[in-house]
């Protein structure tokens, strides 16, 4: 290794990157002393032992040894982004929070996450996704710490360690990573049946999102909103993505786990870089606060229950746009600390026993994770509003508080700081004076908490046939990975209480007898729960334009037309380089995999297999024109896109017969043969439905 040339000191110049910890032009120790060699340790002679007196060596290694902090016990794997929330200004009658007033714009930071996997696990695991938003309002931080599924596994926070111990890898082998397809998970959820509703969502396509940009978010619990007059309503929070809710195919999510474990975080970062800023509307379902906390027979304090949108429509309150990637993963995405108890005046909690336990857990966990009680001083956690908390000292104290009387009441610091009401006079109290039920101390739950199946059924019957087929496959896969027959059997019996056909289909896949039929209710379906059958914007959708070195003349026009409609064209050819100045080839046949593309545009003739080594990788032995084998990597790319119901567009006169050559039908749904100037229209129209679901019809 060679040293960088040592330059003479020219004090006073600004370094290229400047800021706290980066404000010297020269490398220094943490004590600010300049360093003139960071490549060689100080030794007693060139071939001699290293000297303990080398402070730079010791300090550098000491800091490196402590670079890692404990990962989150759950939600360890995440991706974040900065953005802005703009209020629609229509919450006046409902909520006094300042950030919901007309014209308010509030800085936000969002962290999306998987739940079960370690920090380095794959993005595309079948799992619930965390959707946590920090609003830096001018009345303090408001954290909305939700998930992409509106119901939870358990009803009481005291069960959280049991749930997480069951879902995490087995404690003896630490296998499997980031998966629920194993004995302990299914052992727990088949015994602790309040989990059945959440597990139903988890076995649906919701648990394998196509993109973090295409997920709904839910506050899950019922919260309280209080207006200027002190009147209270109960609410449930919803995030609605502008791009709609879309998912991967199960096989895609497994392929991505190997081919691109960073699939979701890459998608988010690239979309923001490309200016395809993800957007969500924040909305609330509103329920009267009549003292019952029950709406249309649904217990609003039971976090395993949701309220169908048809019964309580989601009222939009504002829009969030994420338009800036984090500057530093560790400083921001890793160190951000959320807490459901970070609330602002006008937003309050309910008596949901899961929420109550969370209020303790999130502060507590940061003490270990962020090393002490001063984590609110870490820049990503600092409020934009003024702070005067009277807290003193502790690990990692960055403030230098003045005065001698950090206690109340005091006269020595002029009685400062004052209490909020003293300054604002007329405001209603910050704590909502909710009447509290009196009674005996008990460890029990209300009778309404004992319905564990009706909402799992409601969700299932609201899905389209193809979505229900995916659910059945997911249960069959996951239980197929369980080794204990009694656990499989028990879960199939739970399914019989949800849907007879589902239970018998899964039983058949597992080679188990169909469970005894159970009398089931016929709830009214909630069409809002299905992801299929609507048209959505195509912003940031990735279209692979596949061609061969010799046939690129139409590529610039096609790429431009796709980009003009907001899609992201990715050019794929036999080898790297440029198609035109500033139009690089993004992927080669070696680096491309079908999972990355929402649609393919194929420009023939596609190339023959280049050599025997590549042919060895072949999964499809397709023949091109004249009986020459087509490059098997391209054949595989096209075959996978076809199998995953993706749009495939071929060019009239250029790609005729190409699909048949790789053994596929060129008149199947979602396959179009068009002129060059029709490619973008065709891609937009096909992608607006996400996938060509009719390609492989499923019996209803
Ligand atoms: Fe939790 C993290 C969401 C129940 C204890 N949770 C965490 C994160 C999300 C959620 C999105 C990641 C935040 C981030 O990105 O840093 N959790 C939920 C939802 C729940 C829920 C929607 C139910 C409705 N959680 C829950 C319970 C407990 C916890 C019942 C404990 C009693 N959750 C934690 C935690 C974590 C956490 C251990 C890990 C890291 C952290 O808090 O900061 O305290």
């Amino acid at each position: 290794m060679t040293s960088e040339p040592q330059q003479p000191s020219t004090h006073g110049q600004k370094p290229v990157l400047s800021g706290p910890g980066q404000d010297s032009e020269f490398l220094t120790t943490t004590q600010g002393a300049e360093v003139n060699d960071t490549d060689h340790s100080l030794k007693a002679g060139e071939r001699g032992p290293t000297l303990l007196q080398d402070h730079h060596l010791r300090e550098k290694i000491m800091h490196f040894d402590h670079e890692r902090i404990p990962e989150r016990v759950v939600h360890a794997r995440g991706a974040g982004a900065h953005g802005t929330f703009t209020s629609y200004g229509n919450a006046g009658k409902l909520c006094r929070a300042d950030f919901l007033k007309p014209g308010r714009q509030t800085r936000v930071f969002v962290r999306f996450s998987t739940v079960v996997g370690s920090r380095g696990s794959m993005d595309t695991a079948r799992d619930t996704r965390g959707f946590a938003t920090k609003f830096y309002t001018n009345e303090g931080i408001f954290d909305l710490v939700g998930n992409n599924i509106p119901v939870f596994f358990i009803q009481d926070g005291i069960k959280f360690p049991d749930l997480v111990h069951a879902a995490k890898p087995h404690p003896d082998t630490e296998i499997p990573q980031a998966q629920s397809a194993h004995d302990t998970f299914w052992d727990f959820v088949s015994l602790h049946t309040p989990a059945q509703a959440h597990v139903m969502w988890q076995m649906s396509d919701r648990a394998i999102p196509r993109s973090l940009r295409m997920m709904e978010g839910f506050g899950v619990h019922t919260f309280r909103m209080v207006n200027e007059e002190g009147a209270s309503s109960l609410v449930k929070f919803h995030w609605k993505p502008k791009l709609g809710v879309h998912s991967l195919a199960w096989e895609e999510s497994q392929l991505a786990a190997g081919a691109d474990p960073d699939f979701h975080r890459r998608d988010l970062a690239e979309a923001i870089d490309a200016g395809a800023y993800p957007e969500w509307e924040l909305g609330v379902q509103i329920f009267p606060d009549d003292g019952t906390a029950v709406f249309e027979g649904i217990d609003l304090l039971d976090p395993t229950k949701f309220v169908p949108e048809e019964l309580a429509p989601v009222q939009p309150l504002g829009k969030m746009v994420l338009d800036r990637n984090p500057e530093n993963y560790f400083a921001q995405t890793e160190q951000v600390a959320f807490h459901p108890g970070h609330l602002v005046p006008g937003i309050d909690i309910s008596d949901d026993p899961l929420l109550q336990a969370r209020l303790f857990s999130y502060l507590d966990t940061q003490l270990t994770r962020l090393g002490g009680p001063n984590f609110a001083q870490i820049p990503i956690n600092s409020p934009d509003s003024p702070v005067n908390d009277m807290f003193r000292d502790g690990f990692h104290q960055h403030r230098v508080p003045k005065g001698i009387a950090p206690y109340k009441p005091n006269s020595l610091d002029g009685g400062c700081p004052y209490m909020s009401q003293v300054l604002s006079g007329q405001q209603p109290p910050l704590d909502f004076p909710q009447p509290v039920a009196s009674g005996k101390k008990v460890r029990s739950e209300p009778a309404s908490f004992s319905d564990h199946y009706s909402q799992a059924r409601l969700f299932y019957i609201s899905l389209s046939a193809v979505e229900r087929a995916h659910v059945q496959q997911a249960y069959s896969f996951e239980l197929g990975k369980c080794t204990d027959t009694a656990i499989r059997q028990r879960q199939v019996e739970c399914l019989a209480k949800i849907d007879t056909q589902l239970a018998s289909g899964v039983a058949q896949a597992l080679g188990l007898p169909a469970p005894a039929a159970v009398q089931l209710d016929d709830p009214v379906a909630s069409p809002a729960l299905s992801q299929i059958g609507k048209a959505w914007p195509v912003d940031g959708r990735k279209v692979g334009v596949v061609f061969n070195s010799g046939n690129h003349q139409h590529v610039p026009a096609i790429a431009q037309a796709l980009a003009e409609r907001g899609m992201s064209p990715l050019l794929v050819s036999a080898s790297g380089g440029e198609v035109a100045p500033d139009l690089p080839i993004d992927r080669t046949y070696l680096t491309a995999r079908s999972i990355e593309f929402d649609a393919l545009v194929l420009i023939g003739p596609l190339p023959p297999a280049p050599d025997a080594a590549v042919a060895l990788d072949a999964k499809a032995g397709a023949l091109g024109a004249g009986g020459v084998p087509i490059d098997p990597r391209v054949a595989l790319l096209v075959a996978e896109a076809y199998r995953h119901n993706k749009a495939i567009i071929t060019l009239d006169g250029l790609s005729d017969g190409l699909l048949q050559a790789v053994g596929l039908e060129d008149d199947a749904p979602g396959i179009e043969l068009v002129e060059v100037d029709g490619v973008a229209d065709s891609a937009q129209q096909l992608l607006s439905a996400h996938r060509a679901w009719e390609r492989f019809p499923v019996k209803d």
Side-chain angles (χ1 to χ4, degrees):
M1 194 197 291
T2 53
S3 310
E4 283 177 47
Q6 308 295 310
Q7 295 154 359
S9 171
T10 51
H11 282 283
Q13 279 187 18
K14 274 259 169 231
V16 181
L17 301 168
S18 66
Q22 288 181 302
D23 49 9
S24 164
E25 181 193 357
F26 294 101
L27 183 70
T28 71
T29 65
T30 20
Q31 307 303 318
E34 280 180 14
V35 170
N36 67 356
D37 183 341
T38 193
D39 302 329
H40 304 94
S41 43
L42 193 64
K43 295 192 288 291
E46 268 181 357
R47 298 165 72 81
T50 302
L51 298 175
L52 192 59
Q53 65 190 243
D54 183 351
H55 177 72
H56 176 51
L57 165 73
R58 289 179 56 213
E59 189 189 56
K60 186 174 176 182
I61 299 295
M62 174 280 292
H63 195 276
F64 167 77
D65 287 342
H66 299 275
E67 275 177 10
R68 292 290 169 273
I69 61 172
E71 65 175 34
R72 290 167 173 81
V73 58
V74 282
H75 297 267
R77 171 84 181 165
H82 303 275
T84 305
F85 175 79
T86 306
S87 160
Y88 293 157
N90 56 351
K93 289 206 182 103
L94 183 69
C95 182
R96 66 189 259 219
D98 185 80
F99 81 104
L100 293 175
K101 298 226 158 93
R104 290 287 189 278
Q105 292 214 314
T106 303
R107 191 167 76 83
V108 296
F109 185 79
V110 176
R111 184 174 180 275
F112 302 104
S113 47
T114 53
V115 179
V116 175
S118 297
R119 200 182 140 186
S121 58
M122 68 288 200
D123 280 345
T124 55
R126 175 178 292 285
D127 198 356
T128 308
R129 297 297 186 287
F131 188 143
T133 310
K134 193 173 280 296
F135 295 77
Y136 301 84
T137 88
N138 54 18
E139 295 179 308
I141 297 268
F142 168 47
D143 284 342
L144 184 51
V145 198
N147 280 339
N148 75 331
I149 291 180
V151 292
F152 204 63
F153 288 96
I154 52 174
Q155 296 162 312
D156 187 323
I158 199 167
K159 295 303 295 167
F160 194 66
D162 301 276
L163 164 70
V164 175
H165 290 170
K168 285 277 182 182
H170 288 202
D172 48 356
T173 53
E174 218 189 30
I175 297 173
Q177 179 55 238
Q179 288 171 48
S180 49
H182 58 104
D183 281 345
T184 55
F185 177 79
W186 288 99
D187 187 29
F188 178 78
V189 301
S190 60
L191 289 169
H192 187 74
T193 50
Q196 289 294 321
H198 185 99
V199 170
M200 170 59 74
W201 284 74
Q202 207 185 326
M203 294 304 115
S204 80
D205 293 343
R206 300 268 178 160
I208 41 172
R210 156 64 183 87
S211 160
L212 301 171
R213 300 176 290 131
M214 299 170 200
M215 301 190 314
E216 278 180 306
F218 302 92
V220 181
H221 312 282
T222 299
F223 288 82
R224 181 188 307 281
M225 281 189 159
V226 182
N227 68 14
E228 298 284 357
E229 282 75 47
S232 143
S233 311
L234 300 181
V235 299
K236 280 184 179 285
F237 287 103
H238 292 244
W239 287 113
K240 294 272 181 198
K242 178 182 157 198
L243 300 179
V245 182
H246 304 292
S247 297
L248 294 169
W250 171 235
E251 188 188 40
E252 274 185 296
S253 75
Q254 288 187 301
L255 290 173
D260 186 7
D262 304 301
F263 186 82
H264 283 141
R265 47 165 74 168
R266 186 190 310 287
D267 170 272
L268 180 67
E270 286 182 355
I272 292 175
D273 274 345
Y277 302 140
E279 276 184 39
W280 285 261
E281 262 191 338
L282 177 68
V284 280
Q285 289 178 296
I286 307 169
F287 316 104
D289 185 13
D290 57 9
T292 64
V294 174
F295 180 77
E296 299 277 345
I298 300 167
D299 190 336
L300 298 174
L301 300 185
D302 177 354
T304 67
K305 305 282 182 343
F306 68 99
V307 178
E309 289 182 29
E310 291 77 8
L311 296 181
V314 178
Q315 321 267 350
L317 299 181
K319 183 175 83 169
M320 175 171 78
V321 179
L322 299 182
D323 57 3
R324 189 158 59 89
N325 282 311
E327 287 70 28
N328 183 279
Y329 184 89
F330 180 83
Q332 298 171 332
T333 313
E334 191 59 16
Q335 292 201 110
V336 67
F338 294 94
H339 183 8
H342 290 163
L343 299 165
V344 288
I347 303 181
D348 209 336
I349 54 158
S350 69
D351 289 342
D352 173 340
L354 191 70
L355 177 56
Q356 297 277 330
R358 290 179 77 191
L359 296 176
F360 168 74
S361 184
Y362 288 70
L363 266 190
D364 189 51
T365 201
Q366 314 305 351
L367 295 179
T368 310
R369 202 170 73 76
L370 298 172
N374 288 316
F375 54 85
Q377 295 181 29
I378 297 171
I380 195 69
N381 296 323
S382 300
D384 284 354
S385 52
V387 172
N388 195 346
D389 56 20
M390 291 188 106
F391 300 155
R392 294 291 181 266
D393 310 342
F395 282 115
H396 316 302
Q397 175 59 257
H398 288 265
R399 296 186 187 133
V400 185
K402 302 191 180 64
I404 56 166
Y407 52 82
K408 288 223 49 111
N410 74 67
S411 64
L412 295 176
D413 281 347
C416 292
Y418 308 118
M419 288 296 117
S420 178
Q421 279 94 336
V422 175
L423 285 182
S424 53
Q426 309 305 319
Q427 301 269 334
L430 292 178
D431 296 303
F432 179 72
Q434 181 198 344
V436 180
S438 59
K440 286 185 279 193
K441 286 200 289 190
V442 286
R443 286 187 190 274
S444 64
E445 62 192 22
S448 55
F449 276 39
S450 60
D451 163 21
H452 302 165
Y453 297 101
S454 68
Q455 286 220 328
R457 175 159 177 75
L458 167 60
F459 177 74
Y460 182 71
I461 63 139
S462 301
L463 300 180
S464 63
V466 67
E467 291 168 296
R468 288 203 305 272
H470 293 167
V471 168
Q472 186 173 317
Q473 282 160 14
Y475 276 107
S476 305
F477 175 92
E478 297 251 328
L479 291 166
K481 293 268 185 172
C482 287
T483 56
D484 188 307
T485 312
I487 294 175
R488 293 170 164 191
Q489 183 74 54
R490 196 163 61 224
Q491 177 56 37
V492 169
E493 278 156 21
C494 290
L495 291 181
K497 295 178 189 154
I498 298 171
D499 188 83
T500 311
Q501 270 178 342
L502 172 65
S504 56
V506 174
Q508 190 186 17
L510 298 173
L512 294 173
V518 174
Q519 184 67 37
L520 296 171
D521 287 342
D522 250 336
V524 181
S526 166
L529 295 173
S530 171
Q531 299 175 206
I532 294 182
K534 295 161 218 158
W536 300 100
V538 296
D539 309 25
R541 286 301 184 123
K542 296 210 168 113
V543 181
V545 182
V546 186
F547 57 99
N548 195 5
S549 346
N551 60 358
H552 62 260
Q553 64 273 30
H554 299 301
V555 171
I558 291 175
Q560 190 185 345
L562 290 167
E564 277 166 6
R565 284 168 175 73
M567 291 170 271
S568 300
L570 285 174
L571 308 190
V572 186
S573 192
S575 52
E578 279 186 344
V579 172
D582 293 333
L583 193 59
I585 291 171
D586 303 287
R587 304 283 184 273
T588 65
Y589 300 159
L590 185 62
T591 60
R593 191 77 200 238
S594 66
I595 46 156
E596 198 175 1
F597 310 110
D598 294 294
L600 292 179
V601 178
L602 303 178
I603 307 178
L606 289 177
D611 58 39
V614 171
L616 274 182
D617 271 345
K619 296 238 166 60
L623 299 182
V628 182
I630 286 182
D631 188 310
R633 296 165 300 185
V634 178
L636 180 64
L637 183 72
V638 179
E640 283 178 355
Y642 186 92
R643 196 160 67 242
H644 300 145
N645 302 63
K646 291 182 178 173
I648 301 178
I649 297 165
T650 52
L651 290 192
D652 200 11
L654 276 175
S655 334
D656 307 328
L658 202 84
L659 286 171
Q660 282 151 337
V662 291
L664 304 172
E665 305 199 1
D666 55 11
D667 57 353
I671 310 269
E672 286 189 357
L673 183 70
V674 298
E675 305 286 336
V676 171
D677 58 7
V679 168
D681 278 347
S682 169
Q684 182 166 16
Q685 180 247 320
L686 292 171
L687 280 179
S688 68
H690 183 49
R691 287 176 205 256
W693 296 112
E694 329 77 75
R695 190 175 297 159
F696 304 109
V698 173
K699 257 204 343 230
D700 206 346

